[in-house]
């Protein structure tokens, strides 16, 4: 088995993110690998369509601030330095793939909710990341 050199933990900001981060940290420590944490925010104009005649800037800024606070709290729980915490904007699967490529990541760790039925047919973020990744992906059941 090859050692991992750079582990990317792609998380949402739910309570289950702690479980994903603990697994990612354990793998990184066992391999003496760098650990990077990323959370992707979808711009509200993308999530709700650009046809809404509202200025979403204030709401987007509030969401960004809350995300920064939450990711800092999660990172602090595993003693991860600030420089290894990232919040980016865009489609989660695209941004995780981009960061993995640009940062020479060789393992992506993410949470999987084990969807069933229609959600399974339509796919999920974790499935999209898995199928487009150029490195190993570990889906932690949460």
């Amino acid at each position: 088995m090859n050692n991992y050199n750079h582990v990317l933990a792609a998380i949402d900001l739910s309570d289950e993110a702690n479980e994903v981060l603990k697994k990612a940290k354990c793998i990184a420590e066992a391999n003496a690998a760098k650990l990077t944490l990323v959370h992707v925010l979808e711009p509200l104009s993308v999530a709700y369509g650009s046809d809404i005649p509202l200025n979403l800037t204030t709401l987007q800024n509030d969401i960004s601030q809350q995300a920064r606070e939450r990711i800092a709290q999660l990172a602090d729980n595993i003693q991860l330095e600030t420089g290894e915490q990232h919040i980016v904007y865009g489609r989660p699967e695209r941004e995780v793939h981009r960061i993995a490529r640009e940062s020479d990541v060789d393992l992506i760790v993410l949470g999987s909710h084990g969807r069933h039925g229609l959600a399974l047919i339509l796919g999920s973020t974790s499935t999209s990341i898995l199928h487009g990744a150029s490195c190993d992906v570990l889906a932690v059941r949460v």
Side-chain angles (χ1 to χ4, degrees), residues 10-32:
I11 62 162
D12 59 16
L13 300 178
S14 68
D15 290 336
E16 290 89 6
N18 279 315
E19 191 175 336
V20 174
L21 284 177
K22 286 177 187 174
K23 181 70 77 171
K25 182 173 181 168
C26 182
I27 292 168
E29 287 177 344
N31 288 274

Side-chain angles (χ1 to χ4, degrees), residues 74-88:
L74 290 167
D76 189 51
N77 289 346
I78 62 164
Q79 293 82 44
L80 185 66
E81 295 183 25
T82 305
E84 304 307 327
Q85 307 167 34
H86 304 281
I87 295 179
V88 297

Side-chain angles (χ1 to χ4, degrees), residues 36 46 101 118 134 139:
T36 301
V46 172
R101 276 190 319 274
L118 187 58
S134 58

